[in-house]
Amino acid sequence: MVALWRYPVKSMAGEALDEVEVSWHGFAGDRRWGFVQDALVRSSFPWLTIRERPAMWHYQPFFSEPERPEKSPTLVRTPDGQELDVTDPALAAELGGGVRLIKQNRGVFDIAPLSLISTQTVGGIGALAGAELTPQRFRPNLLVEASGEFPEDGWVGSVLRIGGFSMRVDQRDKRCVLINVDPVSTERDPSILKTAGRERDTCLGVYGTTVEPGRVALGDPVIRED
């Protein structure tokens, strides 16, 4: 296990972790909050995300009591250094207005509670696109190291044991325009998604669900159980 991230607020910056408890609803504290666009309230995807507000990459959520992420108040450090409670109306206003906050204890996930990508896939798509890409651009929970090119494709349908928990790899992760946005500069590069579409049917990494809850930590081996 190379890296672990959770995202306390959907589409804001991730929090790098040394270890984390994994439940049926993914990483403890992951994507429990999200902002809904009032104009899209009847849409199947009403969320305010990086595609509309690339600067959301520079909003850093964190827990005031990190040892109890499911119960802790969630704070957000804004680009200008303020620390606001996620429920503070000033935060919604700063994001541009016309949005409201919701909380889902089971998590605000697009497809599944867990997302995994390999260093090989990050490097592979970067080479195809002619760009130096970081794993954070793809917003995974788990970054692993494996052998071969785009190795996750062969894991769909398999169960992986990683540290003290197990996950089933359910499907490939079909990407959208979010991967065009650089996490640091927030500049868009349309060639990234175009390359993924041309070379990979826009699929990079995989989605999964918990088979056995438990704890995962950096350095844990990844064992394919089937």
Side-chain angles (χ1 to χ4, degrees):
M1 178 54 53
V2 178
L4 300 163
W5 289 279
R6 69 177 160 211
Y7 307 84
V9 180
K10 185 177 180 65
S11 234
M12 288 187 176
E15 177 187 18
L17 303 168
D18 292 329
E19 58 180 354
V20 65
E21 197 71 29
V22 188
S23 74
W24 302 113
H25 303 309
F27 282 16
D30 188 39
R31 295 174 171 93
R32 301 314 194 229
W33 297 93
F35 285 91
V36 171
Q37 302 178 77
D38 290 337
L40 299 178
V41 69
R42 296 184 183 276
S43 166
S44 61
F45 195 91
W47 312 109
L48 180 72
T49 71
I50 289 164
R51 77 186 74 190
E52 295 85 24
R53 303 278 194 281
M56 289 179 77
W57 261 122
H58 292 167
Y59 286 79
Q60 179 65 66
F62 63 98
F63 298 111
S64 62
E65 301 172 37
E67 69 281 358
R68 51 196 300 265
E70 300 290 12
K71 301 292 185 182
S72 169
T74 302
L75 304 177
V76 177
R77 186 173 297 110
T78 67
D80 64 3
Q82 295 183 78
E83 292 186 357
L84 302 175
D85 191 284
V86 70
T87 63
D88 191 327
L91 180 59
E94 186 166 320
L95 292 173
V99 299
R100 57 187 173 85
L101 182 70
I102 69 166
K103 184 180 185 184
Q104 291 189 2
N105 290 333
R106 66 174 182 265
V108 181
F109 304 113
D110 294 347
I111 301 293
L114 298 168
S115 59
L116 178 151
I117 200 167
S118 69
T119 56
Q120 286 71 23
T121 290
V122 174
I125 194 63
L128 290 169
E132 189 75 28
L133 305 180
T134 64
Q136 290 92 326
R137 180 184 289 255
F138 303 96
R139 300 182 66 81
N141 293 119
L142 303 111
L143 177 68
V144 303
E145 199 161 281
S147 58
E149 294 184 347
F150 304 100
E152 307 94 311
D153 289 356
W155 299 346
V156 174
S158 299
V159 172
L160 305 178
R161 171 159 287 279
I162 311 174
F165 98 106
S166 294
M167 66 175 284
R168 183 177 61 246
V169 180
D170 294 315
Q171 65 183 74
R172 298 165 76 199
D173 188 341
K174 203 166 185 70
R175 298 294 178 163
C176 67
V177 295
L178 262 67
I179 66 171
N180 286 338
V181 182
D182 183 277
V184 177
S185 70
T186 71
E187 293 179 358
R188 300 179 193 265
D189 181 355
S191 71
I192 307 303
L193 186 60
K194 286 179 181 177
T195 301
R198 183 181 67 247
E199 303 288 344
R200 299 282 308 151
D201 192 29
T202 71
C203 291
L204 299 164
V206 289
Y207 282 120
T209 48
T210 303
V211 172
E212 181 181 346
R215 200 162 189 83
V216 62
L218 297 182
D220 283 344
V222 179
I223 301 170
R224 187 171 170 178
E225 293 194 318
D226 63 337

